[in-house]
Amino acid sequence: YAAANLFFAQSPQPSTLYIGRWAKTATAGRLYGGLHAVGSAQTALLNALKLITDGSIMIPVDGVNRTLTGLDFSAATTLAGCAAVIDTALTQGVVSWNATLGRFEVVSGTTGGSSAVGYATNAGSGTAIAATVKLTSGTAYTPVAGIAAETPVTALTTAAQKDGDWYGCMFADSAFTDQNHLDVAAYIESASPSRIYGLTTAATGVIDPNSTSDIAYVLKGLEYQRTFVQYSTSSAYAVASLFGRAFTVDFTANNTTITLKFKQEPGVTA
């Protein structure tokens, strides 16, 4: 969000930004239920669930069908309380109510490539609630499987395979190491189609003329042509603003290319 603000604050304003998720640690499989509108719809849902004392639902978690029966919602006073009833019965995962978005969410208790949550179905006994809580196929979002922890290059390679329309990239992660930057720069240098990589650093070595170990010096020594560095102590994502200014240029027209000399970066203090 912070990086995107800088990108879209540029003038002229760019129009398109892709955001990809980097799994720094192994992720859990998850299923997000359909939305329940704030107000009367959620009130009606709570009242309907409170009438159920023998609720049942089947939720696939990590490849195994988990059948939950005897769900008693009569004592619940909120939809979060209803989620807690299901959560208590589902010992292999976590069920919660997202009050901000108005939906039930199911997350596997495991992480990695085998972690998964599938669409819920009726359990075959008791009062079926799968459709009521919108966790079924057609009412819920597409399930998202868990994945193993990724390196930055693995994440970027996946992004390149998913979509070929993006040209520039950055990582909105202030904890990125110099080795992370070097790995990504090496990948970008050989990428096809051509792409560029931008990074922001607050390391004081970058502005020390005697430093021979800072990330800018090392990258220059490697003679990479498709990576650039910006020094900033006011924003960890300052380079997003540079991208925003450069990417409004129409490279298909005549006499439209620009330099970045004297260009401003709204939101970034010099």
Side-chain angles (χ1 to χ4, degrees), residues 65 120 237 254 263:
N65 291 335
Y237 316 120
N254 292 324
K263 301 302 186 291

PDB file of all heavy atoms in Angstrom, residues 65 120 237 254 263:
ATOM      1  N   ASN A  65     -11.806 -35.192   3.978  1.00  0.00           N
ATOM      2  CA  ASN A  65     -13.118 -34.614   4.248  1.00  0.00           C
ATOM      3  C   ASN A  65     -13.379 -34.602   5.754  1.00  0.00           C
ATOM      4  O   ASN A  65     -13.436 -35.653   6.394  1.00  0.00           O
ATOM      5  CB  ASN A  65     -14.209 -35.416   3.541  1.00  0.00           C
ATOM      6  CG  ASN A  65     -14.139 -35.268   2.035  1.00  0.00           C
ATOM      7  OD1 ASN A  65     -13.626 -34.271   1.521  1.00  0.00           O
ATOM      8  ND2 ASN A  65     -14.640 -36.259   1.303  1.00  0.00           N
ATOM      9  N   ALA A 120     -16.891 -26.341   0.867  1.00  0.00           N
ATOM     10  CA  ALA A 120     -17.705 -27.089   1.821  1.00  0.00           C
ATOM     11  C   ALA A 120     -18.929 -27.674   1.124  1.00  0.00           C
ATOM     12  O   ALA A 120     -19.419 -27.133   0.131  1.00  0.00           O
ATOM     13  CB  ALA A 120     -18.142 -26.183   2.960  1.00  0.00           C
ATOM     14  N   TYR A 237      10.411   2.691   0.009  1.00  0.00           N
ATOM     15  CA  TYR A 237       9.871   2.310  -1.299  1.00  0.00           C
ATOM     16  C   TYR A 237       9.945   3.464  -2.296  1.00  0.00           C
ATOM     17  O   TYR A 237       9.147   3.560  -3.218  1.00  0.00           O
ATOM     18  CB  TYR A 237       8.422   1.841  -1.150  1.00  0.00           C
ATOM     19  CG  TYR A 237       8.213   0.919   0.028  1.00  0.00           C
ATOM     20  CD1 TYR A 237       7.329   1.240   1.049  1.00  0.00           C
ATOM     21  CD2 TYR A 237       8.932  -0.274   0.125  1.00  0.00           C
ATOM     22  CE1 TYR A 237       7.155   0.388   2.137  1.00  0.00           C
ATOM     23  CE2 TYR A 237       8.768  -1.124   1.208  1.00  0.00           C
ATOM     24  CZ  TYR A 237       7.881  -0.788   2.209  1.00  0.00           C
ATOM     25  OH  TYR A 237       7.718  -1.631   3.285  1.00  0.00           O
ATOM     26  N   ASN A 254       6.512   9.248 -31.268  1.00  0.00           N
ATOM     27  CA  ASN A 254       7.756   9.910 -31.651  1.00  0.00           C
ATOM     28  C   ASN A 254       8.129  11.001 -30.651  1.00  0.00           C
ATOM     29  O   ASN A 254       7.259  11.744 -30.168  1.00  0.00           O
ATOM     30  CB  ASN A 254       7.621  10.546 -33.042  1.00  0.00           C
ATOM     31  CG  ASN A 254       7.493   9.493 -34.127  1.00  0.00           C
ATOM     32  OD1 ASN A 254       8.116   8.436 -34.050  1.00  0.00           O
ATOM     33  ND2 ASN A 254       6.680   9.790 -35.150  1.00  0.00           N
ATOM     34  N   LYS A 263      13.315  15.312 -12.230  1.00  0.00           N
ATOM     35  CA  LYS A 263      11.929  14.897 -11.993  1.00  0.00           C
ATOM     36  C   LYS A 263      11.670  14.820 -10.495  1.00  0.00           C
ATOM     37  O   LYS A 263      12.548  14.495  -9.699  1.00  0.00           O
ATOM     38  CB  LYS A 263      11.664  13.529 -12.650  1.00  0.00           C
ATOM     39  CG  LYS A 263      11.893  13.499 -14.152  1.00  0.00           C
ATOM     40  CD  LYS A 263      11.024  14.528 -14.866  1.00  0.00           C
ATOM     41  CE  LYS A 263      11.124  14.417 -16.387  1.00  0.00           C
ATOM     42  NZ  LYS A 263      12.444  14.819 -16.911  1.00  0.00           N
TER      43      LYS A 263
END
